[in-house]
Amino acid sequence: MKNSNSNLVDLGGYRQEKLKENGKELRVFLKVKSRLGYCPCCNKKTRTVYEFKFRDIRHSFWFDRPSILVVKQRRFKCNHCKKRFWERLPGIAQYSRRTETFRKQIAKRALEGHDNKLVAKDFRVGQSTVLRDIKHHSKLELKKKQDKYFPVVLGIDEHHFTKKKGFATTFCDLKRRKIYDVRLGRYESSLGNFLANVRGKERTKIVVMDLSSSYRDLIQKYIPWAKIVTDRFHVVRLTIQKFVEVWKYLDPSGRGKRGLVSLFRRHHSKLTEIQELKFRKYLKSKPGLESLYDFKNEIHDFLRQKNLTRKKMKHQIKRLGHIIEDLKASKFNPMITLAKTFESWQEEILRMLRFSRSNGITEGFHTKMEKISRIAYGFGSPSRKGTN
Ligand SMILES: [Zn+2]
């Protein structure tokens, strides 16, 4: 049997005080090196030790003998808030009577394909302990992975999930072009806990989202250091939608013609000369239409800008201000609504012009993801209904 560990106490943060051995086991007496305790309530340092106890902690084998760490654990008193608390021991999970190193050894051996019964016997623990260690170890590994990959540039988007379950929110890694996670719900009640505890979020720098104030509130609360950027696709889509509503009002019949709608929606640079000529002719046939179209183009041009330098931004701030003013002056309700949205999202829209990244990737993933998330949450794919 090779359960030995030549490096006797390979745990950092301790000072070895004494060593006792007998034929059966090895006892190593340890003290935590640091003289400080950190209050779990107010996070203040303290040196005041209120009491202490010795705890027996099982550690890796020393050749064929089990080793026991006798750790002196202190209970500190916080001088600030008067709270008394037991210190956390390095390399030992709270309430655990075995070191993390030891538990990892057991889990690894079992995961290598050895029979759990034999592993339990070898390490002199119960079989249920082996199972618990496998679970514990896998959880840690998963956390490590998530730590590593929590997006630096995060894209957030909602999509309709099922009638019963309602909406789901997609968290997307826009740098790696991968889905990070899909979670049910779109409000704090369902996402708050996840965002509060997700590991690795301190690395997140940019969050791209549609014009949803509930997502904005969530990010400002849980990842307040991240810079929020609006998603170009959504902003352009909303703008066009509002302009089409006004168009409908100005010419109820014209809006019904499919060809015209498509020409109206497209960016003007994407029309052929003949298309533009024909379209202009139509626009001139009704009062107000041509200026409506030109105004749409003005905003469309503004929103399409990418990678602007800081220097160029000064002018853009003014430009957005004028757009908002003009929208308000139009007296059309859809435009006033749009003006209010732009006003509330000024900062995030302007920031968008500095970037080239778009949340579009999240959009494209939706069909694929809907499948994945249905499976993940135990729903059958709706397309398979009836065929089974
Ligand atoms: Zn305290």
Side-chain angles (χ1 to χ4, degrees):
M1 189 176 78
K2 248 197 108 201
N3 284 332
S4 66
N5 190 347
S6 55
N7 198 0
L8 181 52
V9 178
D10 49 356
L11 289 173
Y14 293 98
R15 200 171 50 229
Q16 195 170 310
E17 298 278 294
K18 256 194 299 189
L19 213 146
K20 274 188 187 170
E21 55 181 317
N22 56 34
K24 268 184 3 207
E25 60 185 28
L26 189 77
R27 293 178 78 81
V28 189
F29 290 75
L30 298 176
K31 254 184 179 176
V32 177
K33 261 188 198 160
S34 167
R35 295 185 58 197
L36 298 171
Y38 290 87
C39 176
C41 288
C42 61
N43 211 23
K44 291 255 189 317
K45 284 185 241 174
T46 176
R47 282 169 191 268
T48 313
V49 177
Y50 180 74
E51 59 177 322
F52 62 84
K53 64 180 175 191
F54 289 98
R55 286 181 60 194
D56 284 9
I57 311 279
R58 280 200 62 185
H59 190 47
S60 315
F61 278 69
W62 173 247
F63 293 99
D64 270 351
R65 267 175 293 172
S67 65
I68 312 282
L69 309 181
V70 185
V71 182
K72 182 179 177 182
Q73 189 178 26
R74 297 163 294 182
R75 193 177 182 202
F76 285 99
K77 187 180 167 188
C78 173
N79 297 315
H80 185 74
C81 71
K82 308 294 172 210
K83 165 128 183 134
R84 283 153 208 171
F85 60 94
W86 289 102
E87 67 182 322
R88 292 290 196 94
L89 297 170
I92 300 161
Q94 213 177 2
Y95 311 120
S96 177
R97 276 147 58 192
R98 289 170 307 131
T99 62
E100 288 300 288
T101 319
F102 188 45
R103 299 182 73 180
K104 196 175 166 186
Q105 263 180 353
I106 296 175
K108 273 201 164 159
R109 181 74 62 85
L111 288 170
E112 274 163 15
H114 296 264
D115 181 13
N116 284 358
K117 219 171 168 178
L118 285 176
V119 175
K121 205 178 151 213
D122 274 2
F123 284 99
R124 297 183 207 175
V125 293
Q127 275 192 63
S128 57
T129 304
V130 176
L131 286 178
R132 240 185 302 135
D133 283 346
I134 294 172
K135 250 190 197 167
H136 177 71
H137 178 71
S138 316
K139 245 190 209 164
L140 287 181
E141 287 295 301
L142 195 76
K143 258 186 187 166
K144 241 200 243 163
K145 243 187 198 167
Q146 286 178 347
D147 270 7
K148 237 185 187 164
Y149 296 127
F150 195 80
V152 174
V153 182
L154 176 70
I156 302 186
D157 206 358
E158 63 163 37
H159 69 123
H160 194 245
F161 196 51
T162 61
K163 255 190 192 160
K164 227 181 179 177
K165 297 268 169 179
F167 284 84
T169 300
T170 313
F171 296 86
C172 192
D173 190 327
L174 292 177
K175 241 182 163 173
R176 287 168 188 273
R177 308 185 66 82
K178 271 184 187 158
I179 304 271
Y180 174 75
D181 206 347
V182 183
R183 313 208 57 108
L184 281 181
R186 52 178 167 166
Y187 300 116
E188 187 170 6
S189 52
S190 36
L191 301 173
N193 197 30
F194 164 68
L195 283 173
N197 296 307
V198 74
R199 305 236 267 151
K201 68 176 179 180
E202 58 278 356
R203 268 190 303 253
T204 300
K205 284 189 183 141
I206 298 163
V207 181
V208 183
M209 61 172 73
D210 61 9
L211 301 152
S212 142
S213 50
S214 67
Y215 284 151
R216 182 167 58 180
D217 293 345
L218 268 172
I219 294 304
Q220 282 172 347
K221 184 166 174 186
Y222 294 105
I223 317 181
W225 53 87
K227 294 227 179 340
I228 298 172
V229 183
T230 52
D231 173 41
R232 209 179 303 273
F233 171 83
H234 282 102
V235 185
V236 169
R237 192 177 64 177
L238 179 77
T239 304
I240 293 172
Q241 203 180 309
K242 294 295 172 199
F243 271 81
V244 168
E245 278 175 40
V246 178
W247 178 22
K248 187 167 139 190
Y249 175 79
L250 291 175
D251 179 22
S253 64
R255 215 212 120 245
K257 286 169 198 155
R258 286 207 147 244
L260 290 181
V261 179
S262 144
L263 291 177
F264 189 88
R265 297 182 80 95
R266 245 179 278 172
H267 188 252
H268 56 90
S269 69
K270 289 184 178 158
L271 298 188
T272 65
E273 241 173 272
I274 298 167
Q275 278 174 328
E276 166 127 34
L277 238 116
K278 263 185 159 176
F279 194 50
R280 286 271 168 201
K281 206 176 154 193
Y282 157 74
L283 291 171
K284 283 191 172 81
S285 72
K286 293 267 159 46
L289 276 188
E290 192 166 34
S291 52
L292 179 79
Y293 179 65
D294 288 337
F295 191 15
K296 185 223 88 169
N297 285 339
E298 188 193 328
I299 302 179
H300 210 161
D301 285 341
F302 171 79
L303 294 174
R304 271 166 58 106
Q305 300 179 97
K306 282 175 195 172
N307 298 321
L308 293 189
T309 57
R310 196 176 288 271
K311 218 173 144 191
K312 280 185 179 163
M313 287 309 292
K314 250 190 192 169
H315 171 64
Q316 302 305 325
I317 297 169
K318 274 188 202 155
R319 205 169 150 194
L320 182 58
H322 288 315
I323 288 173
I324 292 171
E325 271 170 39
D326 289 348
L327 282 170
K328 278 185 176 166
S330 78
K331 300 274 191 292
F332 289 109
N333 277 335
M335 289 195 174
I336 292 167
T337 313
L338 188 64
K340 282 181 187 158
T341 307
F342 281 177
E343 217 164 28
S344 147
W345 289 85
Q346 271 187 80
E347 211 182 298
E348 293 86 354
I349 290 174
L350 286 165
R351 209 173 271 141
M352 171 178 83
L353 310 182
R354 305 255 293 137
F355 290 97
S356 63
R357 213 169 290 279
S358 142
N359 209 4
I361 176 188
T362 342
E363 286 290 306
F365 265 124
H366 272 176
T367 11
K368 189 176 150 198
M369 248 184 24
E370 216 154 302
K371 263 188 209 162
I372 297 170
S373 47
R374 269 167 209 283
I375 294 164
Y377 288 104
F379 299 109
S381 163
S383 57
R384 267 167 42 206
K385 252 183 207 166
T387 56
N388 287 352

